[in-house]
Coordinates of all heavy atoms in Angstrom, one line a residue:
P74 N -10.3 12.3 6.1 CA -11.5 13.1 5.9 C -12.6 12.3 5.1 O -13.8 12.5 5.3 CB -11.0 14.3 5.0 CG -9.7 13.8 4.5 CD -9.1 12.9 5.5
L75 N -12.2 11.3 4.3 CA -13.2 10.5 3.6 C -14.0 9.7 4.6 O -15.2 9.6 4.5 CB -12.5 9.6 2.7 CG -11.8 10.2 1.4 CD1 -11.1 9.1 0.6 CD2 -12.9 10.8 0.5
L76 N -13.3 9.1 5.6 CA -14.0 8.3 6.6 C -14.9 9.2 7.5 O -15.9 8.8 8.0 CB -13.0 7.6 7.5 CG -12.2 6.5 6.7 CD1 -11.2 5.8 7.7 CD2 -13.1 5.5 6.1
E77 N -14.5 10.4 7.8 CA -15.3 11.3 8.6 C -16.6 11.7 7.9 O -17.6 12.0 8.6 CB -14.5 12.6 8.9 CG -13.3 12.4 9.8 CD -12.4 13.6 10.0 OE1 -12.7 14.6 9.3 OE2 -11.6 13.6 10.9
E78 N -16.6 11.6 6.6 CA -17.8 11.9 5.9 C -18.8 10.7 5.8 O -19.8 10.7 5.2 CB -17.5 12.3 4.5 CG -16.7 13.6 4.4 CD -16.2 14.0 3.0 OE1 -16.5 13.2 2.1 OE2 -15.6 15.0 2.9
L79 N -18.4 9.5 6.4 CA -19.1 8.3 6.3 C -19.5 7.8 7.7 O -18.9 6.9 8.3 CB -18.3 7.2 5.6 CG -17.9 7.5 4.2 CD1 -17.0 6.4 3.7 CD2 -19.2 7.5 3.3
P80 N -20.6 8.4 8.3 CA -20.9 8.0 9.7 C -21.4 6.6 9.8 O -21.2 5.9 10.8 CB -22.0 9.0 10.0 CG -22.6 9.5 8.7 CD -21.4 9.5 7.8
D81 N -22.1 6.1 8.8 CA -22.6 4.7 8.8 C -22.4 4.0 7.5 O -23.3 3.7 6.8 CB -24.1 4.8 9.2 CG -24.7 3.4 9.4 OD1 -23.9 2.5 9.8 OD2 -25.9 3.2 9.2
P82 N -21.1 3.8 7.2 CA -20.8 3.2 5.8 C -21.1 1.7 5.7 O -21.0 1.0 6.6 CB -19.3 3.5 5.7 CG -18.8 3.4 7.1 CD -19.9 4.0 8.0
D83 N -21.5 1.3 4.5 CA -21.6 -0.1 4.2 C -20.3 -0.6 3.6 O -19.3 0.2 3.4 CB -22.8 -0.4 3.3 CG -22.7 0.3 1.9 OD1 -21.6 0.8 1.5 OD2 -23.7 0.4 1.2
L84 N -20.2 -1.8 3.2 CA -19.0 -2.4 2.6 C -18.5 -1.6 1.4 O -17.3 -1.3 1.3 CB -19.2 -3.9 2.3 CG -18.0 -4.6 1.6 CD1 -16.8 -4.6 2.6 CD2 -18.4 -6.0 1.3
E85 N -19.4 -1.3 0.5 CA -19.0 -0.6 -0.7 C -18.4 0.8 -0.4 O -17.4 1.2 -1.0 CB -20.2 -0.5 -1.7 CG -19.8 0.1 -3.0 CD -20.9 0.0 -4.1 OE1 -21.9 -0.7 -3.8 OE2 -20.8 0.7 -5.1
D86 N -19.0 1.5 0.6 CA -18.5 2.8 1.0 C -17.1 2.7 1.5 O -16.2 3.5 1.2 CB -19.4 3.4 2.1 CG -20.8 3.8 1.6 OD1 -20.9 4.1 0.5 OD2 -21.7 3.7 2.5
L87 N -16.8 1.6 2.3 CA -15.5 1.4 2.9 C -14.5 1.1 1.8 O -13.4 1.7 1.9 CB -15.6 0.3 3.9 CG -16.4 0.5 5.2 CD1 -16.5 -0.8 6.0 CD2 -15.8 1.6 6.0
V88 N -14.8 0.3 0.9 CA -13.9 -0.1 -0.2 C -13.6 1.1 -1.0 O -12.5 1.4 -1.4 CB -14.4 -1.3 -1.0 CG1 -13.5 -1.5 -2.2 CG2 -14.5 -2.5 -0.2
R89 N -14.7 1.9 -1.3 CA -14.5 3.1 -2.2 C -13.6 4.1 -1.5 O -12.7 4.7 -2.1 CB -15.8 3.7 -2.5 CG -15.7 5.0 -3.4 CD -17.1 5.6 -3.7 NE -17.9 4.6 -4.5 CZ -18.9 4.0 -4.0 NH1 -19.3 4.2 -2.7 NH2 -19.7 3.2 -4.7
A90 N -13.7 4.3 -0.2 CA -12.9 5.2 0.6 C -11.4 4.7 0.5 O -10.5 5.5 0.3 CB -13.3 5.3 2.0
L91 N -11.2 3.4 0.6 CA -9.8 2.9 0.5 C -9.2 3.1 -0.8 O -8.1 3.6 -1.0 CB -9.9 1.4 0.9 CG -8.5 0.6 0.7 CD1 -7.5 1.2 1.6 CD2 -8.7 -0.9 1.1
V92 N -10.0 2.8 -1.9 CA -9.5 2.9 -3.2 C -9.2 4.4 -3.6 O -8.2 4.8 -4.2 CB -10.5 2.3 -4.3 CG1 -10.1 2.7 -5.7 CG2 -10.5 0.8 -4.1
T93 N -10.2 5.3 -3.2 CA -10.0 6.7 -3.4 C -8.8 7.3 -2.8 O -8.0 8.0 -3.4 CB -11.3 7.5 -3.0 OG1 -12.4 7.0 -3.6 CG2 -11.1 8.9 -3.2
A94 N -8.5 6.9 -1.5 CA -7.4 7.4 -0.8 C -6.1 6.9 -1.5 O -5.1 7.6 -1.7 CB -7.4 7.0 0.6
E95 N -6.1 5.6 -1.8 CA -4.9 5.0 -2.4 C -4.6 5.6 -3.8 O -3.5 5.8 -4.2 CB -5.1 3.5 -2.6 CG -5.1 2.7 -1.3 CD -3.7 2.4 -0.7 OE1 -2.9 3.3 -0.7 OE2 -3.5 1.2 -0.4
A96 N -5.7 5.9 -4.5 CA -5.5 6.5 -5.9 C -5.0 7.9 -5.9 O -4.5 8.3 -6.9 CB -6.9 6.5 -6.6
T97 N -4.9 8.6 -4.7 CA -4.3 9.9 -4.7 C -2.8 9.8 -5.1 O -2.2 10.8 -5.5 CB -4.5 10.6 -3.3 OG1 -3.9 9.8 -2.3 CG2 -5.9 10.8 -3.0
Q98 N -2.3 8.6 -4.9 CA -0.8 8.4 -5.2 C -0.6 8.3 -6.7 O 0.6 8.4 -7.1 CB -0.4 7.1 -4.5 CG -0.5 7.0 -3.0 CD 0.5 8.0 -2.4 OE1 1.6 8.0 -2.6 NE2 -0.1 8.9 -1.6
L99 N -1.6 8.3 -7.5 CA -1.4 8.3 -8.9 C -1.1 9.7 -9.5 O -0.9 9.8 -10.7 CB -2.7 7.7 -9.6 CG -3.0 6.3 -9.4 CD1 -4.4 6.0 -9.9 CD2 -2.0 5.4 -10.1
S100 N -1.2 10.7 -8.7 CA -1.1 12.1 -9.2 C 0.3 12.6 -9.3 O 0.5 13.7 -9.9 CB -1.9 13.0 -8.2 OG -1.4 13.0 -6.9
D101 N 1.3 11.9 -8.8 CA 2.7 12.4 -8.9 C 3.7 11.3 -9.0 O 3.4 10.1 -8.7 CB 3.1 13.4 -7.8 CG 3.0 12.8 -6.4 OD1 3.5 11.7 -6.2 OD2 2.3 13.3 -5.5
L102 N 4.9 11.6 -9.4 CA 5.9 10.6 -9.6 C 6.3 9.9 -8.4 O 6.4 8.6 -8.4 CB 7.2 11.3 -10.2 CG 8.4 10.4 -10.5 CD1 8.0 9.4 -11.6 CD2 9.6 11.3 -11.0
R103 N 6.3 10.5 -7.3 CA 6.7 9.9 -6.0 C 5.6 8.8 -5.7 O 5.9 7.7 -5.3 CB 6.8 10.9 -4.9 CG 7.5 10.4 -3.7 CD 7.7 11.4 -2.7 NE 8.5 10.9 -1.6 CZ 8.8 11.6 -0.5 NH1 8.4 12.9 -0.3 NH2 9.5 11.1 0.5
G104 N 4.4 9.2 -5.8 CA 3.3 8.3 -5.5 C 3.2 7.1 -6.4 O 3.0 6.0 -6.0
L105 N 3.5 7.3 -7.7 CA 3.5 6.2 -8.7 C 4.6 5.2 -8.3 O 4.3 4.0 -8.3 CB 3.8 6.8 -10.1 CG 2.7 7.7 -10.7 CD1 3.2 8.3 -12.0 CD2 1.4 6.9 -10.9
R106 N 5.7 5.7 -7.9 CA 6.8 4.8 -7.5 C 6.4 4.0 -6.2 O 6.6 2.8 -6.1 CB 8.1 5.5 -7.3 CG 8.7 6.0 -8.5 CD 9.9 7.0 -8.2 NE 10.6 7.4 -9.5 CZ 11.4 8.4 -9.5 NH1 11.6 9.2 -8.5 NH2 12.0 8.7 -10.7
C107 N 5.8 4.7 -5.3 CA 5.4 4.0 -4.0 C 4.3 3.0 -4.2 O 4.3 2.0 -3.5 CB 5.0 5.1 -3.0 SG 6.4 5.9 -2.3
L108 N 3.4 3.2 -5.2 CA 2.4 2.2 -5.5 C 3.1 1.0 -6.0 O 2.6 -0.1 -5.7 CB 1.4 2.8 -6.5 CG 0.4 3.8 -6.0 CD1 -0.4 4.4 -7.1 CD2 -0.5 3.1 -5.0
R109 N 4.1 1.1 -6.8 CA 4.8 0.0 -7.4 C 5.5 -0.8 -6.2 O 5.6 -2.0 -6.3 CB 5.9 0.4 -8.4 CG 5.4 1.1 -9.6 CD 4.7 0.2 -10.6 NE 5.4 -1.0 -10.9 CZ 6.4 -1.1 -11.8 NH1 6.7 0.0 -12.5 NH2 6.9 -2.3 -12.1
I110 N 5.9 -0.1 -5.2 CA 6.6 -0.8 -4.1 C 5.6 -1.4 -3.2 O 5.8 -2.6 -2.8 CB 7.4 0.3 -3.3 CG1 8.5 0.9 -4.2 CG2 8.1 -0.4 -2.1 CD1 9.2 2.1 -3.6
S111 N 4.6 -0.7 -2.8 CA 3.7 -1.2 -1.8 C 2.9 -2.4 -2.2 O 2.5 -3.3 -1.4 CB 2.7 -0.1 -1.3 OG 2.0 0.4 -2.4
A112 N 2.7 -2.6 -3.6 CA 2.0 -3.7 -4.1 C 2.8 -5.0 -3.8 O 2.2 -6.1 -3.6 CB 1.8 -3.6 -5.6
Q113 N 4.1 -4.9 -3.6 CA 4.9 -6.1 -3.3 C 4.8 -6.4 -1.8 O 5.2 -7.5 -1.4 CB 6.4 -5.8 -3.7 CG 6.6 -5.4 -5.1 CD 8.0 -4.9 -5.4 OE1 9.0 -5.7 -5.1 NE2 8.1 -3.7 -5.8
L114 N 4.2 -5.6 -1.0 CA 4.2 -5.7 0.4 C 2.7 -5.9 0.9 O 2.5 -5.9 2.2 CB 4.9 -4.6 1.1 CG 6.3 -4.3 0.6 CD1 6.8 -2.9 1.3 CD2 7.2 -5.4 1.0
S115 N 1.7 -5.9 0.0 CA 0.4 -5.9 0.5 C 0.0 -7.1 1.4 O -0.8 -7.0 2.3 CB -0.6 -5.9 -0.7 OG -0.4 -7.1 -1.5
H116 N 0.7 -8.2 1.2 CA 0.5 -9.4 2.1 C 1.0 -9.2 3.5 O 0.8 -10.1 4.3 CB 1.1 -10.6 1.4 CG 2.6 -10.6 1.3 ND1 3.2 -9.8 0.3 CD2 3.5 -11.2 2.0 CE1 4.5 -9.9 0.5 NE2 4.7 -10.7 1.4
E117 N 1.8 -8.1 3.7 CA 2.4 -7.9 5.0 C 1.6 -7.0 6.0 O 2.1 -6.6 7.0 CB 3.8 -7.4 4.9 CG 4.7 -8.3 4.1 CD 6.2 -7.8 4.1 OE1 6.5 -6.8 4.7 OE2 7.0 -8.4 3.3
S118 N 0.3 -6.8 5.6 CA -0.5 -5.9 6.4 C -0.7 -6.4 7.8 O -0.7 -5.7 8.8 CB -1.9 -5.6 5.8 OG -2.6 -6.8 5.8
G119 N -0.8 -7.8 8.0 CA -1.0 -8.4 9.2 C -2.4 -8.8 9.5 O -2.8 -9.3 10.6
I120 N -3.3 -8.6 8.5 CA -4.8 -8.8 8.8 C -5.0 -10.3 9.0 O -6.0 -10.6 9.8 CB -5.6 -8.3 7.6 CG1 -7.1 -8.4 7.9 CG2 -5.3 -9.0 6.3 CD1 -7.5 -7.6 9.2
R121 N -4.3 -11.2 8.4 CA -4.6 -12.6 8.6 C -4.4 -13.0 10.0 O -5.0 -14.0 10.5 CB -3.6 -13.4 7.7 CG -4.0 -13.3 6.2 CD -3.1 -14.2 5.3 NE -3.4 -14.0 3.9 CZ -3.7 -15.0 3.1 NH1 -3.8 -16.2 3.5 NH2 -4.0 -14.7 1.8
T122 N -3.5 -12.4 10.8 CA -3.4 -12.7 12.2 C -3.9 -11.6 13.1 O -3.7 -11.7 14.3 CB -1.9 -12.9 12.5 OG1 -1.1 -11.7 12.2 CG2 -1.3 -14.1 11.7
R123 N -4.5 -10.6 12.5 CA -5.0 -9.5 13.3 C -3.9 -8.7 14.0 O -4.2 -8.1 15.1 CB -6.1 -9.9 14.3 CG -7.4 -10.5 13.6 CD -8.5 -10.7 14.6 NE -9.6 -11.4 14.1 CZ -10.6 -10.8 13.3 NH1 -10.5 -9.5 13.0 NH2 -11.6 -11.5 12.8
T124 N -2.7 -8.8 13.5 CA -1.6 -8.1 14.1 C -1.0 -7.2 13.1 O -0.3 -7.6 12.2 CB -0.5 -9.1 14.6 OG1 -1.1 -10.1 15.5 CG2 0.6 -8.4 15.3
P125 N -1.3 -5.9 13.2 CA -0.9 -4.9 12.2 C 0.6 -4.8 12.1 O 1.3 -4.9 13.1 CB -1.5 -3.6 12.6 CG -1.6 -3.7 14.1 CD -2.0 -5.2 14.3
H126 N 1.1 -4.6 10.8 CA 2.5 -4.3 10.7 C 2.8 -3.0 11.5 O 1.9 -2.2 11.6 CB 2.8 -4.0 9.2 CG 4.2 -3.8 8.9 ND1 4.8 -2.6 9.0 CD2 5.2 -4.7 8.4 CE1 6.1 -2.7 8.7 NE2 6.3 -4.0 8.3
P127 N 4.0 -2.9 12.1 CA 4.3 -1.7 12.9 C 3.9 -0.4 12.3 O 3.5 0.5 13.0 CB 5.8 -1.9 13.2 CG 6.0 -3.4 13.2 CD 5.1 -3.9 12.1
T128 N 4.1 -0.3 11.0 CA 3.8 1.0 10.3 C 2.3 1.3 10.2 O 1.9 2.4 10.0 CB 4.4 1.1 8.9 OG1 3.9 0.0 8.1 CG2 5.9 1.0 9.0
L129 N 1.5 0.2 10.4 CA 0.0 0.4 10.3 C -0.7 0.5 11.7 O -1.8 0.9 11.7 CB -0.6 -0.8 9.6 CG -0.2 -1.0 8.1 CD1 -0.9 -2.2 7.5 CD2 -0.6 0.2 7.3
A130 N 0.0 0.1 12.7 CA -0.6 0.1 14.0 C -1.1 1.5 14.4 O -0.4 2.5 14.3 CB 0.4 -0.4 15.1
G131 N -2.4 1.5 14.8 CA -3.0 2.8 15.3 C -3.4 3.7 14.2 O -3.9 4.9 14.5
T132 N -3.4 3.3 12.9 CA -3.7 4.2 11.8 C -5.2 4.1 11.4 O -5.8 3.1 11.6 CB -2.8 3.9 10.6 OG1 -3.1 2.6 10.1 CG2 -1.3 4.1 11.0
A133 N -5.6 5.1 10.7 CA -7.0 5.0 10.1 C -7.0 3.9 9.0 O -8.1 3.3 8.9 CB -7.3 6.4 9.5
Y134 N -5.9 3.7 8.4 CA -5.8 2.7 7.3 C -6.1 1.3 8.0 O -6.9 0.5 7.4 CB -4.4 2.7 6.7 CG -4.3 1.8 5.5 CD1 -4.5 2.4 4.2 CD2 -3.9 0.5 5.6 CE1 -4.3 1.6 3.1 CE2 -3.8 -0.3 4.4 CZ -4.0 0.3 3.2 OH -3.8 -0.5 2.1
W135 N -5.5 1.0 9.1 CA -5.7 -0.3 9.8 C -7.1 -0.4 10.3 O -7.7 -1.5 10.1 CB -4.7 -0.5 10.9 CG -4.9 -1.8 11.6 CD1 -5.5 -1.9 12.9 CD2 -4.6 -3.1 11.2 NE1 -5.5 -3.2 13.2 CE2 -5.0 -4.0 12.2 CE3 -4.0 -3.6 10.0 CZ2 -4.8 -5.4 12.0 CZ3 -3.9 -4.9 9.9 CH2 -4.3 -5.8 10.9
R136 N -7.6 0.7 10.9 CA -9.0 0.6 11.3 C -10.0 0.3 10.2 O -11.0 -0.4 10.4 CB -9.4 1.9 12.1 CG -8.6 2.1 13.4 CD -9.2 3.2 14.2 NE -9.0 4.5 13.6 CZ -7.9 5.2 13.7 NH1 -6.9 4.8 14.5 NH2 -7.8 6.4 13.1
L137 N -9.7 0.9 9.0 CA -10.5 0.7 7.9 C -10.5 -0.8 7.4 O -11.5 -1.4 7.1 CB -10.1 1.6 6.7 CG -10.8 1.4 5.4 CD1 -12.3 1.5 5.5 CD2 -10.3 2.3 4.3
I138 N -9.3 -1.4 7.4 CA -9.2 -2.8 7.1 C -10.0 -3.6 8.0 O -10.7 -4.6 7.6 CB -7.7 -3.2 7.1 CG1 -6.9 -2.5 6.0 CG2 -7.5 -4.7 6.9 CD1 -5.4 -2.7 6.1
E139 N -9.9 -3.3 9.3 CA -10.7 -4.1 10.3 C -12.1 -4.0 10.1 O -12.9 -4.9 10.2 CB -10.3 -3.6 11.7 CG -8.9 -4.0 12.2 CD -8.6 -3.7 13.6 OE1 -8.9 -2.5 14.0 OE2 -8.2 -4.5 14.4
R140 N -12.6 -2.8 9.7 CA -14.0 -2.5 9.5 C -14.5 -3.3 8.3 O -15.6 -3.8 8.2 CB -14.3 -1.0 9.3 CG -14.2 -0.3 10.6 CD -14.3 1.2 10.4 NE -15.7 1.6 10.1 CZ -16.0 2.9 9.9 NH1 -15.1 3.9 9.9 NH2 -17.3 3.2 9.6
I141 N -13.7 -3.4 7.2 CA -14.0 -4.1 6.0 C -14.2 -5.6 6.4 O -15.1 -6.3 6.0 CB -12.9 -4.0 5.0 CG1 -13.0 -2.5 4.4 CG2 -13.1 -5.0 3.9 CD1 -11.9 -2.2 3.4
E142 N -13.2 -6.1 7.2 CA -13.3 -7.5 7.6 C -14.5 -7.8 8.4 O -15.2 -8.8 8.2 CB -12.0 -7.9 8.3 CG -11.9 -9.4 8.7 CD -12.5 -9.7 10.0 OE1 -12.4 -8.9 10.9 OE2 -13.1 -10.8 10.1
S143 N -14.8 -7.0 9.4 CA -15.9 -7.2 10.3 C -17.2 -7.1 9.6 O -18.2 -7.8 10.0 CB -15.8 -6.3 11.5 OG -16.0 -4.9 11.1
S144 N -17.3 -6.3 8.6 CA -18.6 -6.1 7.8 C -18.9 -7.4 7.1 O -20.1 -7.6 6.8 CB -18.5 -5.0 6.8 OG -17.6 -5.3 5.8
L145 N -18.0 -8.3 6.9 CA -18.3 -9.6 6.2 C -18.9 -10.6 7.1 O -19.4 -11.6 6.7 CB -17.0 -10.2 5.7 CG -16.2 -9.3 4.7 CD1 -14.9 -10.0 4.2 CD2 -17.0 -9.0 3.5
A146 N -18.9 -10.3 8.4 CA -19.6 -11.2 9.4 C -21.0 -11.3 9.1 O -21.7 -12.4 9.4 CB -19.3 -10.8 10.8
A147 N -21.7 -10.3 8.6 CA -23.1 -10.3 8.4 C -23.4 -11.3 7.3 O -24.6 -11.8 7.2 CB -23.6 -8.9 7.9
A148 N -22.5 -11.6 6.5 CA -22.7 -12.7 5.4 C -22.5 -14.1 5.9 O -22.6 -15.0 5.2 CB -21.8 -12.4 4.2
E149 N -22.2 -14.2 7.2 CA -22.0 -15.4 7.9 C -20.8 -16.2 7.3 O -20.9 -17.4 7.2 CB -23.3 -16.3 7.9 CG -24.5 -15.6 8.6 CD -25.7 -16.5 8.7 OE1 -25.7 -17.5 8.0 OE2 -26.7 -16.1 9.3
L150 N -19.8 -15.5 6.9 CA -18.6 -16.1 6.4 C -17.8 -16.6 7.6 O -17.6 -15.8 8.6 CB -17.8 -15.2 5.5 CG -18.4 -14.8 4.2 CD1 -17.6 -13.7 3.6 CD2 -18.6 -16.0 3.3
P151 N -17.2 -17.7 7.6 CA -16.3 -18.1 8.7 C -15.1 -17.2 8.8 O -14.7 -16.6 7.8 CB -15.8 -19.5 8.2 CG -16.8 -20.0 7.3 CD -17.3 -18.8 6.6
E152 N -14.6 -17.0 10.0 CA -13.6 -16.0 10.2 C -12.3 -16.3 9.4 O -11.8 -15.3 8.8 CB -13.1 -16.0 11.7 CG -12.1 -15.0 12.0 CD -11.7 -15.0 13.5 OE1 -11.6 -16.2 14.1 OE2 -11.4 -14.0 14.0
P153 N -11.8 -17.5 9.2 CA -10.7 -17.7 8.3 C -10.9 -17.2 6.9 O -10.0 -16.6 6.3 CB -10.4 -19.2 8.3 CG -11.0 -19.7 9.6 CD -12.3 -18.8 9.8
I154 N -12.1 -17.4 6.4 CA -12.4 -16.9 5.0 C -12.5 -15.4 5.0 O -12.0 -14.7 4.1 CB -13.7 -17.5 4.5 CG1 -13.5 -19.0 4.3 CG2 -14.2 -16.8 3.2 CD1 -14.7 -19.7 3.8
R155 N -13.1 -14.8 6.1 CA -13.1 -13.3 6.1 C -11.7 -12.7 6.1 O -11.5 -11.7 5.4 CB -13.9 -12.9 7.4 CG -15.3 -13.3 7.4 CD -16.1 -12.4 8.4 NE -15.5 -12.2 9.7 CZ -15.7 -13.0 10.8 NH1 -16.6 -14.0 10.6 NH2 -15.2 -12.8 11.9
L156 N -10.9 -13.2 6.9 CA -9.5 -12.7 7.0 C -8.8 -12.9 5.7 O -8.1 -12.0 5.2 CB -8.8 -13.4 8.2 CG -9.3 -13.1 9.6 CD1 -8.6 -14.0 10.6 CD2 -9.1 -11.6 9.9
E157 N -8.9 -14.1 5.1 CA -8.2 -14.4 3.9 C -8.7 -13.5 2.7 O -7.9 -13.0 1.9 CB -8.3 -15.8 3.5 CG -7.4 -16.3 2.4 CD -7.3 -17.8 2.3 OE1 -8.3 -18.4 1.9 OE2 -6.2 -18.3 2.6
R158 N -10.0 -13.3 2.7 CA -10.6 -12.5 1.6 C -10.2 -11.0 1.8 O -9.9 -10.3 0.8 CB -12.1 -12.6 1.6 CG -12.6 -13.8 1.0 CD -14.1 -13.6 0.7 NE -14.6 -14.9 0.2 CZ -15.9 -15.1 0.0 NH1 -16.8 -14.1 0.1 NH2 -16.3 -16.3 -0.5
T159 N -10.1 -10.5 3.0 CA -9.7 -9.1 3.2 C -8.3 -9.0 2.7 O -7.9 -8.0 2.1 CB -9.8 -8.8 4.7 OG1 -11.2 -9.0 5.1 CG2 -9.4 -7.3 4.9
D160 N -7.4 -9.9 3.0 CA -6.0 -9.9 2.6 C -6.0 -9.9 1.1 O -5.2 -9.2 0.4 CB -5.3 -11.0 3.2 CG -3.8 -10.9 3.0 OD1 -3.2 -9.8 3.3 OD2 -3.1 -11.9 2.6
L161 N -6.8 -10.8 0.4 CA -6.8 -10.9 -1.0 C -7.3 -9.6 -1.6 O -6.8 -9.2 -2.7 CB -7.7 -12.1 -1.5 CG -7.2 -13.5 -1.2 CD1 -8.2 -14.5 -1.5 CD2 -5.9 -13.7 -2.0
A162 N -8.3 -8.9 -1.0 CA -8.8 -7.7 -1.5 C -7.7 -6.6 -1.5 O -7.6 -5.8 -2.4 CB -10.0 -7.2 -0.7
L163 N -6.9 -6.6 -0.4 CA -5.8 -5.6 -0.4 C -4.8 -5.9 -1.5 O -4.3 -5.0 -2.1 CB -5.1 -5.7 1.0 CG -6.0 -5.3 2.2 CD1 -5.2 -5.5 3.5 CD2 -6.4 -3.8 2.1
T164 N -4.6 -7.2 -1.7 CA -3.6 -7.6 -2.8 C -4.2 -7.1 -4.1 O -3.4 -6.6 -5.0 CB -3.4 -9.1 -2.8 OG1 -2.8 -9.4 -1.5 CG2 -2.4 -9.5 -3.9
L165 N -5.4 -7.3 -4.4 CA -6.1 -7.0 -5.6 C -6.0 -5.5 -5.9 O -5.6 -5.0 -6.9 CB -7.5 -7.4 -5.6 CG -8.4 -6.8 -6.8 CD1 -7.9 -7.3 -8.1 CD2 -9.9 -7.3 -6.6
I166 N -6.3 -4.7 -4.9 CA -6.3 -3.2 -5.0 C -4.8 -2.8 -5.2 O -4.6 -1.9 -6.1 CB -6.8 -2.5 -3.7 CG1 -8.4 -2.8 -3.6 CG2 -6.6 -1.0 -3.7 CD1 -9.0 -2.4 -2.3
G167 N -3.9 -3.3 -4.5 CA -2.5 -2.9 -4.6 C -2.0 -3.3 -6.0 O -1.3 -2.4 -6.6
A168 N -2.3 -4.5 -6.5 CA -1.8 -4.9 -7.8 C -2.4 -4.0 -8.9 O -1.7 -3.7 -9.8 CB -2.1 -6.4 -8.0
A169 N -3.7 -3.8 -8.8 CA -4.3 -3.0 -9.8 C -3.7 -1.6 -9.9 O -3.5 -1.0 -11.0 CB -5.8 -2.9 -9.6

Side-chain angles (χ1 to χ4, degrees):
L75 289 174
L76 294 179
E77 291 175 349
E78 296 173 1
L79 299 172
D81 188 25
D83 60 16
L84 177 60
E85 186 169 348
D86 292 330
L87 294 172
V88 172
R89 183 177 296 105
L91 176 58
V92 170
T93 300
E95 293 277 48
T97 60
Q98 299 295 304
L99 291 169
S100 63
D101 58 50
L102 181 59
R103 192 175 189 186
L105 294 174
R106 288 170 174 165
C107 284
L108 286 172
R109 298 291 307 279
I110 299 167
S111 56
Q113 302 171 60
L114 306 172
S115 61
H116 63 285
E117 296 184 9
S118 69
I120 188 60
R121 289 183 183 233
T122 60
R123 298 188 185 281
T124 305
H126 186 278
T128 58
L129 295 180
T132 63
Y134 190 93
W135 177 255
R136 291 191 294 273
L137 175 58
I138 293 173
E139 289 186 311
R140 290 174 72 180
I141 289 173
E142 184 273 324
S143 64
S144 71
L145 301 180
E149 300 183 353
L150 293 172
E152 183 180 38
I154 291 180
R155 297 201 309 269
L156 294 172
E157 191 165 69
R158 279 197 189 174
T159 303
D160 193 46
L161 289 172
L163 295 177
T164 300
L165 170 62
I166 292 170

